[in-house]
Amino acid sequence: MISKISERTRMKNGFPKGMKYQQGSGLTMMIVALFFAGLLTFALKVGPAYLDDFTIQEALENLENTDGLSKMGPAQVRGVINKQLSVNNVRGFDAKNITVDKDGDLVLISVDYEVRNNLFGSVDTVVHFQHEYEFKGK
């Protein structure tokens, strides 16, 4: 008899007991999950470009410690930079993006390049980097 009363009460409310408080969070959670998945995808696609750029900056800053830099020609300076980049495992960087100018003992190095990655489908990312360095010869 008691079970019939509780069954009647449940049917009167239109849904089982306790379900009243569990409605409506499915769509919100799906949107939040898609947002964080998109953010993670973006970070995984763009992050390596910034890590490589940081390594390129370190390689160029380490040129300050190179002896005879002001006596080297532009091709030799590019060669030193390429050696440092290959040791640091930077792939896909073209040495043509490095411009070396000399003014007496002053060596001016500028780097200007961009990295393109496919994010998804027909959506791409383009990240542009530009750095300039000035070294005095030793």
Side-chain angles (χ1 to χ4, degrees), residues 87-102:
V87 166
N88 290 321
N89 201 22
V90 175
R91 305 283 183 229
F93 180 75
D94 194 4
K96 295 175 186 173
N97 298 322
I98 300 172
T99 305
V100 179
D101 294 323
K102 293 185 72 176

Side-chain angles (χ1 to χ4, degrees), residues 87-132:
V87 166
N88 290 321
N89 201 22
V90 175
R91 305 283 183 229
F93 180 75
D94 194 4
K96 295 175 186 173
N97 298 322
I98 300 172
T99 305
V100 179
D101 294 323
K102 293 185 72 176
D103 186 20
D105 282 349
L106 195 63
V107 179
L108 304 168
I109 300 174
S110 62
V111 179
D112 188 9
Y113 69 102
E114 61 184 33
V115 178
R116 294 176 180 260
N117 288 321
N118 183 325
L119 195 58
F120 59 88
S122 63
V123 178
D124 294 339
T125 61
V126 179
V127 185
H128 185 255
F129 299 102
Q130 184 176 9
H131 308 288
E132 293 184 3

Side-chain angles (χ1 to χ4, degrees), residues 1 3 8 16 29 46 68 75 93 104 132:
M1 187 70 122
S3 65
R8 232 183 274 156
M29 291 305 291
V46 175
F93 180 75
E132 293 184 3

Side-chain angles (χ1 to χ4, degrees), residues 29-76:
M29 291 305 291
M30 180 72 75
I31 291 171
V32 169
L34 287 174
F35 172 75
F36 283 113
L39 193 63
L40 180 65
T41 301
F42 183 76
L44 289 174
K45 294 285 186 166
V46 175
Y50 280 98
L51 291 175
D52 283 348
D53 183 62
F54 182 72
T55 305
I56 291 168
Q57 287 181 44
E58 283 184 339
L60 292 172
E61 289 169 0
N62 287 336
L63 284 177
E64 190 171 12
N65 301 328
T66 304
D67 291 330
L69 185 67
S70 63
K71 295 176 183 145
M72 291 182 188
Q76 291 172 321

